[in-house]
Amino acid sequence: MSASFALALQAAREAAAAQHYPQSALYVVATPIGNLADIGLRALHVLGLVDAVACEDTRHTQGMLRAYGLDRPSTQLLAAHQHNEAEAAQAVLARLQQGQRVAYVSDAGTPALSDPGARLVAAARAAGFAVVPLPGASSVTTALSVAGIVEDAGFVFAGFLPSKASERDAAVQVLEAETRAVVLLEAPHRIEALARALAPLGSRLVTVGRELTKQFEEIASVAAEALAPWLAAQSTRTRGEFVLVVHPAPTEAPVEDLRVLKLLLAELPLKAAVKLAAEITGQPRNALYAAALRLRPGD
C-alpha cells in the first residue's frame, strides 16, 4: 500500500463503516480518472467490504486496489468489459444470489458513461437485486466545471463520435444544430481527425480537457476552426485522453456592442477586454469571447 493512503483507509472506516451495506447488492463505484487521491471515502470502504470486484480490466483494477492497500486474490476479481459484459453479468448474478456483495468499477470515472456497466446494472435490476451507486469522479462533469458556460440551457453527452469519417461528419452536422453544450470524449490517436471534423463549427468555442487530474493536465478554450492548429502547435497536445465541451452556439452581439469590444481589444488583453465588454454591454461572455477570437485570431 502507498503510505499516503493509510490515513485515508482509516478515515474511510470511521466515516463510512457505520452505514448500511445490504448483501445481495451490486455496488456501482466511481473511481479516479487519473489522480488516485480523488477516490471517495465510501468507495474505499466498499471496495474493501465487498466479496468480489467486477471490473473492466482486472490488471488495472488490481493495481489501483493495491495502491489503496486493498489487494485481492485473483478469484475475487471478475472481468466485465464491453466484449463479455452479458456473460459476465451472469457470473455476477450468481454471486448476488449467494448473498454476496459485488462492486463494479470501470478503468476510470463513473461506470456506464461511455464505459461498460450499463448491461450489468440492467441485468441486476431485472433480476430484482439492489443496485447501489457510489458517486465520484467523472470526466464529463470535471470538464463542464471548468468550461465556464454561463448559459443555463443544460448539456448533451455525446461521448465518442463514430470513427468512420463519413459517419463522424454526419454526427457533427447534427451537433451543429444543437443549441446546448455538447460533451465529447476522444482518444489520442483520433483527436486530430475529430478536430478537423469540428472545424465547420467555425467560431463556436470548444473547451479541451487533456489528461484531466493528471500531472500534465491541460485545459484550453479555442474556436472550433482553430482547434486543429492549436493541437499542431505542440507535439504533446495530441497525447493523453481528451474530453471536449462544445459550447452553445453564441448569439451574435449587436454591432454597437461589437464596437465596444473592438475598442477594448485595442487596449487590453483578450480576457480582460471580454470581461469588461460583458459588464458594459450586458452580453454573455461566451458570445463576446467568440467574437473576440474572430476579431483577434492570433490570440
Side-chain angles (χ1 to χ4, degrees), residues 30 40 149 179 194 295:
I149 297 172
T179 58
L194 177 61
L295 293 170

Side-chain angles (χ1 to χ4, degrees), residues 3-298:
S4 58
F5 291 112
L7 292 177
L9 278 180
Q10 179 181 340
R13 287 191 293 270
E14 293 176 356
Q19 299 174 25
H20 178 56
Y21 301 96
Q23 295 179 303
S24 296
L26 175 66
Y27 293 83
V28 181
V29 183
T31 55
I33 60 175
N35 190 320
L36 286 174
D38 289 338
I39 190 74
L41 293 181
R42 196 157 63 108
L44 276 179
H45 181 71
V46 166
L47 288 173
L49 173 70
V50 294
D51 301 288
V53 178
C55 49
E56 189 175 358
D57 184 323
T58 57
R59 291 170 299 178
H60 175 89
T61 298
Q62 183 67 281
M64 179 191 71
L65 294 174
R66 188 172 292 127
Y68 295 136
L70 299 172
D71 198 0
R72 286 180 172 272
S74 59
T75 54
Q76 294 181 4
L77 293 176
L78 312 175
H81 46 74
Q82 65 179 13
H83 302 297
N84 79 335
E85 193 172 354
E87 177 185 349
Q90 298 309 309
V92 171
L93 293 181
R95 287 178 177 261
L96 297 179
Q97 289 166 353
Q98 296 168 17
Q100 294 188 17
R101 302 179 181 94
V102 179
Y104 181 74
V105 299
S106 58
D107 283 350
T110 302
L113 300 182
S114 281
D115 277 338
R119 289 185 176 86
L120 176 57
V121 167
R125 291 175 63 86
F129 295 109
V131 178
V132 182
L134 274 73
S138 165
S139 62
V140 175
T141 53
T142 299
L144 282 167
S145 71
V146 294
I149 297 172
V150 297
E151 292 88 347
D152 188 18
F155 69 93
V156 176
F157 175 57
F160 291 92
L161 294 188
S163 57
K164 190 175 180 180
S166 59
E167 295 176 0
R168 184 171 55 240
D169 291 341
V172 171
Q173 288 181 358
V174 173
L175 185 156
E176 189 171 6
E178 177 56 65
T179 58
R180 295 168 291 181
V182 180
V183 182
L184 305 173
L185 305 179
E186 196 50 276
H189 67 282
R190 300 197 326 180
I191 188 61
E192 292 174 295
L194 177 61
R196 292 191 295 270
L198 292 176
L201 299 182
S203 63
R204 194 163 171 178
L205 280 184
V206 178
T207 293
V208 184
R210 185 179 71 84
E211 292 289 84
L212 289 175
T213 78
K214 301 176 185 177
Q215 181 179 359
F216 299 107
E217 173 184 89
E218 186 172 12
I219 300 168
S221 293
V222 299
E225 60 194 358
L227 180 55
W230 181 83
L231 288 170
Q234 294 183 21
S235 60
T236 56
R237 286 180 176 168
T238 57
R239 300 174 188 170
E241 300 299 320
F242 292 83
V243 186
L244 300 91
V245 180
V246 180
H247 290 227
T251 303
E252 187 65 45
V255 173
E256 185 59 30
D257 293 343
L258 289 177
R259 180 174 175 274
V260 171
L261 176 61
K262 191 170 184 178
L263 289 172
L264 291 171
L265 285 170
E267 304 295 334
L268 298 171
L270 187 145
K271 289 185 178 179
V274 169
K275 181 177 183 295
L276 189 54
E279 293 174 358
I280 293 171
T281 66
Q283 292 294 325
R285 285 195 192 184
N286 282 353
L288 291 170
Y289 192 30
L293 289 174
R294 294 196 299 273
L295 293 170
R296 289 173 59 172

